[in-house]
Amino acid sequence: GGFGVVYRAFDRALERTVAIKEYLPQQSATRAAGGQVLPRTEGERDRFETGLKAFVREARMLASFDHPSLVKVYRYGEHHGTAYMVMPCYEGQTLIKARASLGGPPDQPALWKVLQPLMEAVQQLHARDVLHRDIAPDNVILLADSVPVLLDFGAARQMVAASTPLTAIFKPSFGAIEQYSNDERSPLGPWTDVYGLASLAHYWLTGQVP
């Protein structure tokens, strides 16, 4: 993606497949000889380093949570001028693909099986003053047992976007109205994620974006 690379890897010590996410924003960084990640220009250094710090904070934050519907971070580290987080390698399909395969609206138990864990996960985030800000069907993966996992907090992406005119870091049609404006009279808050959950519920029921 535009802000990083995800690798499938094998942890030989614990004998398990993992995913390793590398911070590599394409607009502000490049990979040099030997694998070192560097800002593209000196003018991009502040933006690159701001995003890197946010990426590390995101890894620490996710590592502190323990909920089946929140991405778990096993460990993180800084190497080659950038940072990496090691996570479970989730096998499943996005809510978009899952909805397409239904062929019609889910019944109430199926709806609740997806929404309840996500609401509980978001409640844990809000209890720690953390906002997701990008709840959308392609940021939710359904595992084989239909457990939903909320992906892509994108803290680094949000920090980089905040330092540029490109402040929209949400999915069109799933973002709350306050996300379309920089007006301080319309601040973001827990209600922003609640709107995202409601939009996601609408999509899961109807197969259409709000």
Side-chain angles (χ1 to χ4, degrees), residues 37-191:
V37 175
L38 304 169
R40 286 188 177 275
T41 66
E42 194 59 33
E44 295 286 353
R45 182 172 298 277
D46 286 347
R47 187 188 304 183
F48 173 80
E49 292 181 351
T50 296
L52 179 60
K53 291 176 183 177
F55 184 91
V56 172
R57 284 199 301 270
E58 178 184 347
R60 289 172 175 163
M61 180 268 294
L62 289 172
S64 70
F65 286 106
D66 188 16
H67 189 282
S69 289
L70 290 176
V71 172
K72 184 65 180 174
V73 170
Y74 294 140
R75 60 182 298 179
Y76 70 92
E78 297 185 52
H79 308 281
H80 308 298
T82 188
Y84 302 82
M85 62 176 83
V86 183
M87 307 168 289
C89 188
Y90 294 108
E91 301 286 351
Q93 56 183 350
T94 65
L95 208 64
I96 291 178
K97 292 183 177 179
R99 182 61 182 83
S101 67
L102 284 181
D107 58 20
Q108 195 273 340
L111 174 68
W112 193 240
K113 189 171 185 178
V114 169
L115 287 183
Q116 184 176 16
L118 291 176
M119 289 191 291
E120 291 172 352
V122 170
Q123 186 177 36
Q124 284 199 14
L125 295 178
H126 292 173
R128 297 267 295 276
D129 296 323
V130 175
L131 299 179
H132 188 281
R133 305 205 307 179
D134 195 14
I135 298 174
D138 58 348
N139 279 341
V140 175
I141 187 170
L142 287 184
L143 306 183
D145 54 3
S146 297
V147 172
V149 179
L150 186 58
L151 306 174
D152 195 16
F153 282 70
R157 179 164 50 92
Q158 293 166 13
M159 289 298 293
V160 172
S163 65
T164 73
L166 302 174
T167 57
I169 53 84
F170 55 92
K171 304 297 185 301
S173 299
F174 292 95
I177 191 171
E178 62 269 18
Q179 292 180 274
Y180 289 85
S181 170
N182 291 326
D183 192 338
E184 294 182 355
R185 294 171 297 180
S186 300
L188 275 60
W191 48 88

